[in-house]
Amino acid sequence: MEKTYTFGAKDFTPEHIFENGQAFRWEKEEDGSFTVVAKNHLCNVKKTGNDIILSGADKNDYEEFWKSYFNMNRDYSKLKNDFRKIDINLEKATIFGEGLRVLKQDPFEMIITFIISANNQIPRIKKSVNLIAELMGDKVGEFNGKIYYSFPTAEKLSKITKEQLELLRIGYRDEYILKTAKDIAESRIDLESIYDMETMEAQKYLCQLMGVGPKVADCILLFGYGKTDAFPVDTWVKKVMNEYYFSEEMTNPKKIRLKGLEIFGEDAGLAQQYLFYYARENKLGNK
DNA sequence: ACACAGGGTCAGC
DNA sequence: GCTGACCCTGTG
């Protein structure tokens, strides 16, 4: 019999967690559940009534891995309560994205994933990232007839061949991920040291990597390092910030970022994720 | 059909 | 600092 672990579904809505553009290593099943692979762990996440059921994971797997992955130590009820006091638009976004959580994912995987994300579309990003795991990673397990693979280390990815790169269909980004994987594998950039850096210092440090600019760096810091004061400014955040917080059109991402931190404070990155999801799902500012 | 945008970044000025 | 080009592909 397959192992399972069950916990309360308060502040935990799988589709709002997985379908908000922070994670790409999952499949939605026919019953609405999500099968997710992270590091060398695999499980299926299903919401039934007031419960979340993890299949393929037991209490020990939860305590050792998934609890941290889902950032279960963070109190999202309190967070939403604080956000509601700050601003009515943010309150609307938190209600819309009820149960959204910002995950703690692998830093190297985030680096490669968000380099690929630049000037790209979410379905294509998902395809490319999963193909990298399939080509260069190891088999983690199987669920519902589908095989799941771990994301490769920098050492492994740095040995990808030209032919394999072709298969990824990531266009001009192939030289970015190759050079970045090499810089990390050969220790020119130390990913561990980033944990101890202030967010702005870390952003600058990450921007040394080919294909990493300020926005991608913020995504890496928010989704991979748990730095909640990283505030990625993309097209959607630009739209939503202009809609609510600027009287005249603001295009400068640096100033939008500053405004976000000024309004939303030390957890601005979490606010950003609600706003991003809200703006994109409602196609805010389109025509 | 075919232009357009997509979780931006880079090189060149 | 600003501008244009950039591999692809899903969408209208």
Side-chain angles (χ1 to χ4, degrees), chain A residues 77-92 94-95:
Chain A
S77 294
K78 181 181 185 312
L79 180 74
K80 283 181 282 188
N81 201 40
D82 292 344
F83 279 169
R84 187 170 31 172
K85 286 180 205 151
I86 292 176
D87 180 77
I88 178 70
N89 302 306
L90 185 53
E91 179 181 12
K92 279 195 323 206
T94 59
I95 291 167

Side-chain angles (χ1 to χ4, degrees), chain A residues 4 12 14 17 29 31 41 51 56 74 104 117 121 135 200 217 225-226 229 240 258 270 274:
Chain A
T4 63
F12 197 113
I17 293 172
E29 308 291 348
D31 65 357
H41 297 261
D51 286 334
R74 181 84 210 209
K104 273 193 186 162
S117 81
Q121 295 175 155
L135 287 174
M200 288 313 289
Y225 285 94
D229 58 337
V240 73
L258 274 174
L270 304 181
Y274 282 110

Side-chain angles (χ1 to χ4, degrees), chain A residues 114 202-204 206-207 212-222 230 232:
Chain A
F114 283 93
Q203 191 202 54
K204 204 175 155 195
L206 280 168
C207 283
V212 177
K215 187 273 174 185
V216 168
D218 273 339
C219 284
I220 296 162
L221 294 169
L222 183 58

Side-chain angles (χ1 to χ4, degrees), chain A residues 16-24 76 79 83 90 93-94 96-98 100-103 105 114 122 215 218-219 222-223 228 230-234 236-237 240-241 264 267-281:
Chain A
H16 292 171
I17 293 172
F18 293 116
E19 292 180 343
N20 79 91
Q22 64 174 322
F24 302 89
Y76 271 76
L79 180 74
F83 279 169
L90 185 53
T94 59
F96 177 80
E98 175 64 34
L100 183 160
R101 312 183 71 83
V102 172
L103 300 167
Q105 303 180 73
F114 283 93
I122 288 179
K215 187 273 174 185
D218 273 339
C219 284
L222 183 58
F223 305 136
T228 58
F231 192 86
V233 177
D234 74 311
W236 293 106
V237 173
V240 73
M241 292 296 284
F264 308 125
D267 290 321
L270 304 181
Q272 180 274 356
Q273 202 56 15
Y274 282 110
L275 292 170
F276 166 79
Y277 187 54
Y278 181 76
R280 186 169 66 93
E281 293 298 304

